[in-house]
Amino acid sequence: MVKIRKILALAEKEVLIDIVKNVQKRKMKGAKGEWKEFLVEYDSQLGDSLLDPSKRPPACLVAFLNTFTKEQDLEFCEKIMTYHSNRKAIEQLNKSCIDVQSSPQKLASLTFEHPEYPKCFSFPSYDEDWVMMKIGKVSKAIKSTRMLSVDCEMVLCEDKTESLVQVCIVNRNLEVKLNELVKLDKPVIDYRTQIHGISAKDLERATCSLEDIQKSMKKLLSDGVVLIGHSLDKDLKALKVDHSRVIDTSLIFKYPEGHTHMRPSLNHLRKTVLGYDLRESDAPHNCLADAQAAMKLVLAKLENKFDGVIPLKIKESDGVVPLKSKEVFKIELVKLLFHAVPIAVPQKQLRRLFPKDSTVKLQVSLTGENVYNSSAVFKESMEACNGFESIKGEEGKDSSGVPQKVISLDIKYKKDAGSVSFYVRKVLKKVSSDKNPADKRSIQVEETKEQNKKPTKNSDQYDHVKEIQRLKKDLSDRSPADKRSIQVEETEDQNKKQKKHSDQCDHDKEIRRLKKEIKERDSELIHAQNILADLIKIREL
């Protein structure tokens, strides 16, 4: 208590003003009542006629704050002082000579200078259940090279907030420093098991509370540690931890051909920077692997000193899966997707983005604490294209190269008003393949020299008949009904009797002929698709 009193006596006036204003908002009472009641006794001449703390001298503000004796009240005042101390320290760190800064500090400064930082990293740090970390001495922090990487998994609760269910922390050597499941303290409506693989049954064995995790993080984040993460602000909100020295990999890497304020996904960075797939397609998140991936991204940035994205060679000994194949995307033109839409934006406001006579129908799915996704479904593909073009916004591409726009709206939500941003993009179907569509649809049939030279056994003969039937069916699926039908004579003896060597050769020829015709049809289809794409471009112009 004595220590806090001394700090208050030396505090700058703007800090004292902020503390008193926050005390007013919470209607906190000291030994002489609330702020208004204190003023009546403190200054008999002015009394409560001058309530604005900024109009009062520092001595008056300190005298009021010294009337608080409860531990929780003093802790609240200390949080606010720590916040201002950290803010001042961060400004000093960023203004310091770049030659003096350690490499991690340079990336922390890069994160701090990003235009999205103020919005993303503004936390309700003064709340009772939040923990605020101290930066400590600037002289030590500026040279510190200690780094930790964190990743968290969350569930959606009944009150529409997110709760922490797993946290993983690794050091720069990718060694695990913390890996715990977290006990829930609120009812859950969506465990999001399909996202992170954690079920309600898994959480029954959790022994750590959020408070336990916060205590562990206090120890880990001392002495000038820089905390790393991807979209780290979301993890810190789930942890309810305010740590000022951070490196956010979604802010320090540039998004190629994207929007200036657009944050690249971890999937995109792990492929383009690290050069490997973190997980199989549609597989659940791996909290530990994601924390390690964020650390690897920062180490790659420090080692290569690049601002954009570059492919790096990954050793097999690192235990990673090499990037397998390119992905071919097919646009599903009858649908658009609004994502990361703030809950302050109602559905009817999204509907107004399209013409009044539009056939669009919106389908909503809640995805987080303050945002949701909404699919815009149309009856015709051309209307979907026109709908996308009619929406005003900054155009670019997402991490997969899909056309996307950033929409900015001025909204009024309850008593609040301001500008919000979210995204709309075309919906794609993804098919993994190293080849073009024609190659992908080509039939894979093994043909050996023995098949061309020797008669086959009865089982081989029967397989050839089945192969011809399958190829004919595949070819008929690619062709309009009753057109270019395959003229092939088939007799009952082909299904019942063994074929001679001459019949075998005919079958081989028939298979090759059918394969050739299928490839020709595929080429025609691709040509038609290219013509359609050109027509769409002309229409857009």
Side-chain angles (χ1 to χ4, degrees):
M1 185 182 296
V2 175
K3 184 180 179 181
I4 295 178
R5 302 272 189 244
K6 290 181 178 179
I7 295 174
L8 285 171
L10 298 173
E12 295 179 1
K13 184 177 179 180
E14 64 174 26
V15 178
L16 296 172
I17 292 171
D18 192 26
I19 296 175
V20 173
K21 284 185 176 180
N22 277 281
V23 166
Q24 278 184 285
K25 287 179 183 178
R26 287 163 174 76
K27 297 183 178 180
M28 295 166 57
K29 291 184 178 181
K32 296 183 179 181
E34 295 183 20
W35 170 244
K36 185 176 181 179
E37 296 168 332
F38 164 80
L39 290 175
V40 173
E41 182 179 337
Y42 179 80
D43 192 336
S44 57
Q45 292 183 346
L46 292 175
D48 63 352
S49 62
L50 200 61
L51 282 174
D52 187 353
S54 63
K55 303 292 175 134
R56 293 283 182 168
C60 175
L61 304 176
V62 172
F64 170 63
L65 295 175
N66 282 335
T67 64
F68 290 91
T69 57
K70 292 181 182 179
E71 185 177 349
Q72 61 184 23
D73 293 340
L74 295 175
E75 286 180 355
F76 176 74
C77 294
E78 187 177 11
K79 271 188 177 181
I80 299 177
M81 287 189 288
T82 301
Y83 170 82
H84 284 276
S85 174
N86 286 346
R87 184 178 177 183
K88 187 175 182 180
I90 287 292
E91 290 175 354
Q92 288 178 331
L93 286 168
N94 292 329
K95 289 178 181 178
S96 60
C97 178
I98 194 168
D99 294 333
V100 180
Q101 294 179 358
S102 65
S103 296
Q105 176 55 41
K106 291 176 183 177
L107 294 186
S109 297
L110 192 62
T111 299
F112 181 80
E113 292 164 2
H114 194 280
E116 291 291 294
Y117 179 88
K119 180 178 70 175
C120 297
F121 287 87
S122 295
F123 304 128
S125 312
Y126 304 159
D127 287 356
E128 186 178 352
D129 52 352
W130 272 72
V131 172
M132 192 176 298
M133 304 298 179
K134 295 181 180 179
I135 289 182
K137 292 184 178 180
V138 174
S139 58
K140 289 185 178 180
I142 199 170
K143 297 179 181 179
S144 174
T145 58
R146 292 188 60 203
M147 297 186 297
L148 292 174
S149 179
V150 65
D151 188 72
C152 299
E153 301 294 352
M154 284 77 80
V155 296
L156 186 64
C157 299
E158 285 185 356
D159 60 359
K160 307 304 181 186
T161 62
E162 292 183 325
S163 269
L164 181 73
V165 290
Q166 187 181 16
V167 55
C168 292
I169 297 179
V170 298
N171 62 16
R172 68 185 301 153
N173 296 322
L174 306 183
E175 298 168 340
V176 179
K177 307 303 291 184
L178 184 67
N179 186 359
E180 293 288 349
L181 292 176
V182 184
K183 292 188 294 186
L184 290 166
D185 57 358
K186 291 188 289 186
V188 177
I189 59 172
D190 186 0
Y191 280 90
R192 297 174 175 170
T193 304
Q194 74 281 6
I195 296 176
H196 47 58
I198 302 171
S199 64
K201 188 174 181 180
D202 294 327
L203 293 173
E204 291 176 0
R205 57 186 173 87
T207 57
C208 288
S209 65
L210 176 61
E211 188 176 356
D212 294 330
I213 298 297
Q214 290 173 333
K215 288 178 180 178
S216 297
M217 294 198 71
K218 268 188 174 182
K219 295 178 182 179
L220 291 170
L221 296 177
S222 60
D223 301 326
V225 173
V226 175
L227 188 62
I228 297 166
H230 188 84
S231 295
L232 183 57
D233 54 305
K234 296 178 182 177
D235 294 323
L236 291 177
K237 284 177 183 176
L239 291 162
K240 294 187 176 180
V241 170
D242 189 343
H243 185 68
S244 300
R245 294 192 71 209
V246 297
I247 299 174
D248 193 329
T249 53
S250 71
L251 299 182
I252 65 172
F253 287 91
K254 293 182 179 179
Y255 209 128
E257 299 181 5
H259 310 289
T260 55
H261 59 283
M262 195 170 167
R263 302 168 76 175
S265 67
L266 185 60
N267 288 344
H268 174 72
L269 292 179
R270 75 187 182 217
K271 290 180 181 181
T272 55
V273 177
L274 300 179
Y276 70 91
D277 273 325
L278 193 62
R279 63 181 72 90
E280 294 293 332
S281 178
D282 300 325
H285 291 185
N286 184 315
C287 192
L288 179 57
D290 285 359
Q292 291 173 332
M295 178 61 78
K296 286 183 178 182
L297 286 169
V298 169
L299 294 175
K301 185 92 171 174
L302 295 176
E303 180 181 352
N304 293 274
K305 299 179 181 179
F306 57 89
D307 293 325
V309 289
I310 63 170
L312 300 179
K313 294 181 179 179
I314 301 297
K315 299 177 182 178
E316 293 183 4
S317 59
D318 290 339
V320 299
V321 182
L323 185 60
K324 292 182 178 178
S325 61
K326 296 180 181 178
E327 292 173 330
V328 176
F329 295 92
K330 180 181 178 181
I331 297 181
E332 186 181 346
L333 292 173
V334 294
K335 191 183 293 185
L336 304 176
L337 176 67
F338 292 99
H339 58 108
V341 184
I343 58 173
V345 180
Q347 280 287 289
K348 59 183 180 181
Q349 196 154 358
L350 293 181
R351 180 62 181 81
R352 293 194 194 106
L353 297 173
F354 301 103
K356 291 184 178 180
D357 58 350
S358 174
T359 64
V360 66
K361 291 184 178 180
L362 298 175
Q363 300 172 349
V364 184
S365 61
L366 189 65
T367 59
E369 180 179 351
N370 297 311
V371 296
Y372 66 91
N373 290 354
S374 180
S375 295
V377 184
F378 299 82
K379 288 185 177 180
E380 296 181 357
S381 60
M382 188 57 69
E383 186 180 5
C385 285
N386 293 337
F388 181 79
E389 295 302 325
S390 67
I391 296 174
K392 295 180 180 179
E394 183 185 348
E395 189 165 356
K397 295 179 181 179
D398 69 1
S399 60
S400 302
V402 181
Q404 178 170 261
K405 289 183 179 181
V406 177
I407 303 171
S408 297
L409 294 177
D410 292 325
I411 56 98
K412 186 174 184 180
Y413 182 62
K414 295 181 179 180
K415 295 182 180 180
D416 299 323
S419 178
V420 297
S421 297
F422 53 95
Y423 306 97
V424 60
R425 67 170 174 82
K426 295 181 178 180
V427 176
L428 306 184
K429 288 182 177 179
K430 181 174 69 174
V431 180
S432 294
S433 174
D434 285 326
K435 303 178 180 181
N436 58 39
D439 291 333
K440 188 181 187 312
R441 290 191 296 268
S442 64
I443 310 301
Q444 303 297 321
V445 180
E446 292 187 2
E447 294 182 283
T448 63
K449 294 181 180 179
E450 287 73 21
Q451 287 178 320
N452 294 325
K453 295 179 179 179
K454 299 179 181 179
T456 58
K457 296 180 180 179
N458 185 46
S459 60
D460 295 330
Q461 173 66 26
Y462 181 67
D463 288 341
H464 275 160
V465 173
K466 288 173 63 178
E467 181 69 7
I468 290 175
Q469 291 173 343
R470 186 180 69 80
L471 288 168
K472 287 168 58 182
K473 184 178 183 301
D474 198 328
L475 183 56
S476 65
D477 290 341
R478 286 166 168 73
S479 308
D482 300 326
K483 290 184 179 182
R484 299 184 182 179
S485 61
I486 305 167
Q487 303 300 321
V488 181
E489 292 184 3
E490 294 183 293
T491 64
E492 293 182 357
D493 291 339
Q494 286 177 321
N495 296 324
K496 296 179 180 179
K497 299 179 181 180
Q498 291 186 353
K499 293 299 173 182
K500 296 180 181 180
H501 178 59
S502 59
D503 293 330
Q504 174 63 35
C505 293
D506 289 341
H507 284 160
D508 291 336
K509 292 179 180 178
E510 183 68 7
I511 288 173
R512 289 194 293 272
R513 186 185 69 78
L514 288 169
K515 287 169 61 180
K516 181 179 179 182
E517 188 166 350
I518 287 173
K519 288 182 179 179
E520 291 175 353
R521 296 287 169 79
D522 287 337
S523 296
E524 292 175 3
L525 178 59
I526 292 173
H527 182 63
Q529 288 175 339
N530 290 335
I531 293 175
L532 178 59
D534 291 339
L535 290 173
I536 291 174
K537 289 181 180 178
I538 293 172
R539 183 184 180 91
E540 290 174 349
L541 294 173

